Amino acid sequence: MAKLFTPYTIRGVEFKNRIVMAPMCMYSCHNFDGKVEDWHKIHYATRAVGQVGLIIVEATAVLPEGRISDRDLGIWSDDHVEGLSEIVRLMKQHGAKTGIQIAHAGRKATVEGDIYAPSAIRFNEQYKTPVEMSLAEIRETIDAFKDAAIRAKKAGFDVIELHAAHGYLINEFLSPLANERTDEYGGPSEKRYRFLREIIDSVRSVWDGPLFVRISAEDYADGGMSTSQYIEMVNWMKTQDVDLIDVSSGAVVPAKIDAYPGYQVPFSEQIRKETGIATGAVGLITTGLQAEEILKNERANVVLLARELLRNPYWPYSAAKELGVAIEPPKQYDRGWNF
Ligand SMILES: Cc1cc2nc3c(=O)[nH]c(=O)nc-3n(C[C@H](O)[C@H](O)[C@H](O)COP(=O)(O)O)c2cc1C
């Protein structure tokens, strides 16, 4: 049996296979209100029909000013729960487990008005200069992550992922390239970690389900974070009951990245081996054999696919065929397999 199609259980939640759909912004809230629309219902449910084991819904903003764009999904109000519950219901109907990535865009927000970050340094000329967050604003943002977790639970999600990667707010606190604070939230690694530490503690006080954190394990820039430096922070996350690290990289500062098949897998492997925490590998994973290599060589516990699942929502069927595994299609599609 291919490992890709063996179940994986975290905190009593069983994913039927190790295929995870990575969070991907759909920029499809046409009323700029963060609410689920028909597009989201069809898009996410289709990947569930496609037999993806765990589907992680796109970066969903914990505060309106924390949106990457004004078309992002939101979870900053109780009014968002109904639409999110609907996509959870549709995904579950087809046997997928459901996750949501809760996020704040920090200095990479492109919405109207002020934007916020640990320090008043803009990402590049195309972005606004952010307001340096006060201690009160930091507290409010931590509470917003907690409220988002309460709402995610109400909506019925199985997994919460904190977006601490790609140069968004949490990542900005973690990396010395974006955090020049001199108070208790900046300086040495322990202080740069404090914002994430407090978010994890707040979320964990209301959420006992599987908790993932997505990190950018490499900043690809002098003076930035490397995987080796992240080992210390991941060990802290482990003591705070984080279950899995979703290992991505880059985007905290503009940098050239040499992306090739599996380019981020070594970061996942290093974190898994050196901390013993479960990891997910992501980045240009496109074939069943490639996924199987990663899992069998214990370089990650699950694989996340993004763009390949945009091209082919039924990718799990192709991967199963490639690996010689029979997986059950939905009854309605039987004749596509047994003719
Ligand atoms: C359309 C699109 C939207 C994305 N949105 C998010 C997002 O909301 N959150 C996130 O962490 N990564 C996001 N990503 C990055 C993907 O999750 C993934 O890490 C990246 O595309 C590499 O995987 P791939 O080579 O399988 O596409 C996005 C990528 C794409 C293509």
Side-chain angles (χ1 to χ4, degrees):
M1 180 65 173
K3 195 163 180 187
L4 186 60
F5 291 94
T6 55
Y8 185 57
T9 303
I10 302 181
R11 284 181 194 266
V13 177
E14 186 183 279
F15 314 136
K16 66 183 167 191
N17 57 42
R18 310 221 177 193
I19 304 167
V20 180
M21 180 160 101
M24 276 181 283
C25 288
M26 290 288 107
Y27 307 114
S28 292
C29 301
H30 301 93
N31 298 315
F32 316 118
D33 56 4
K35 288 192 180 162
V36 165
E37 295 189 16
D38 286 351
W39 176 263
H40 304 102
K41 294 179 197 171
I42 291 166
H43 167 70
Y44 288 110
T46 302
R47 276 71 196 171
V49 174
Q51 305 302 312
V52 171
L54 168 66
I55 299 171
I56 304 182
V57 168
E58 65 199 81
T60 303
V62 301
L63 286 169
E65 64 272 26
R67 286 174 294 170
I68 300 165
S69 83
D70 54 14
R71 292 182 183 217
D72 291 14
L73 275 183
I75 192 164
W76 64 81
S77 128
D78 290 340
D79 296 341
H80 291 117
V81 175
E82 191 183 336
L84 292 169
S85 308
E86 182 61 6
I87 49 175
V88 166
R89 185 184 71 78
L90 291 167
M91 290 187 279
K92 287 196 172 168
Q93 200 174 74
H94 300 291
K97 290 294 190 288
T98 60
I100 183 166
Q101 185 185 53
I102 56 175
H104 188 302
R107 68 176 181 171
K108 286 173 120 181
T110 66
V111 287
E112 298 267 305
D114 284 339
I115 62 166
Y116 298 88
S119 301
I121 318 163
R122 64 180 174 171
F123 180 73
N124 66 20
E125 328 52 73
Q126 268 113 56
Y127 287 83
K128 287 193 253 191
T129 300
V131 174
E132 177 177 315
M133 288 168 82
S134 66
L135 291 182
E137 283 157 352
I138 289 178
R139 189 67 252 162
E140 282 160 24
T141 308
I142 293 166
D143 287 343
F145 273 95
K146 179 179 173 181
D147 292 342
I150 293 170
R151 294 183 188 117
K153 190 172 177 175
K154 276 198 195 132
F157 284 100
D158 300 299
V159 171
I160 291 179
E161 174 167 284
L162 301 176
H163 196 349
H166 304 167
Y168 298 115
L169 186 64
I170 299 175
N171 196 177
E172 290 159 20
F173 272 89
L174 299 178
S175 172
L177 299 177
N179 182 348
E180 295 185 354
R181 298 179 75 94
T182 52
D183 63 3
E184 61 264 47
Y185 289 94
S189 56
E190 205 161 346
K191 290 188 174 177
R192 282 184 278 113
Y193 181 70
R194 182 175 174 145
F195 182 60
L196 178 54
R197 177 186 295 285
E198 293 180 356
I199 290 172
I200 296 171
D201 282 343
S202 295
V203 166
R204 265 281 170 244
S205 72
V206 295
W207 173 258
D208 56 11
L211 181 62
F212 296 5
V213 177
R214 176 169 264 205
I215 62 165
S216 275
E218 288 284 341
D219 287 352
Y220 304 106
D222 288 344
M225 293 290 287
S226 65
T227 310
S228 300
Q229 283 172 275
Y230 265 106
I231 297 294
E232 180 187 42
M233 290 186 181
V234 170
N235 275 320
W236 292 329
M237 293 182 216
K238 212 177 142 189
T239 63
Q240 291 183 274
D241 290 337
V242 167
D243 299 297
L244 183 141
I245 308 295
D246 172 1
V247 187
S248 188
S249 71
V252 77
V253 288
K256 198 144 180 51
I257 302 173
D258 179 20
Y260 50 87
Y263 71 108
Q264 296 174 142
V265 176
F267 311 146
S268 158
E269 184 171 17
Q270 187 180 347
I271 288 171
R272 191 174 183 274
K273 298 233 154 90
E274 292 184 24
T275 67
I277 202 163
T279 62
V282 64
L284 287 170
I285 300 169
T286 54
T287 71
L289 277 173
Q290 193 189 355
E292 191 62 9
E293 181 279 321
I294 294 164
L295 298 171
K296 275 269 172 63
N297 283 319
E298 307 201 326
R299 308 174 81 192
N301 299 69
V302 297
V303 290
L304 294 98
L305 284 84
R307 287 163 294 180
E308 185 60 24
L309 279 168
L310 295 184
R311 292 185 286 268
N312 179 8
Y314 298 136
W315 183 83
Y317 296 112
S318 329
K321 197 168 173 194
E322 194 186 336
L323 296 171
V325 175
I327 58 171
E328 283 289 305
K331 218 170 170 32
Q332 296 90 331
Y333 288 176
D334 256 355
R335 290 191 60 188
W337 273 260
N338 307 306
F339 34 80

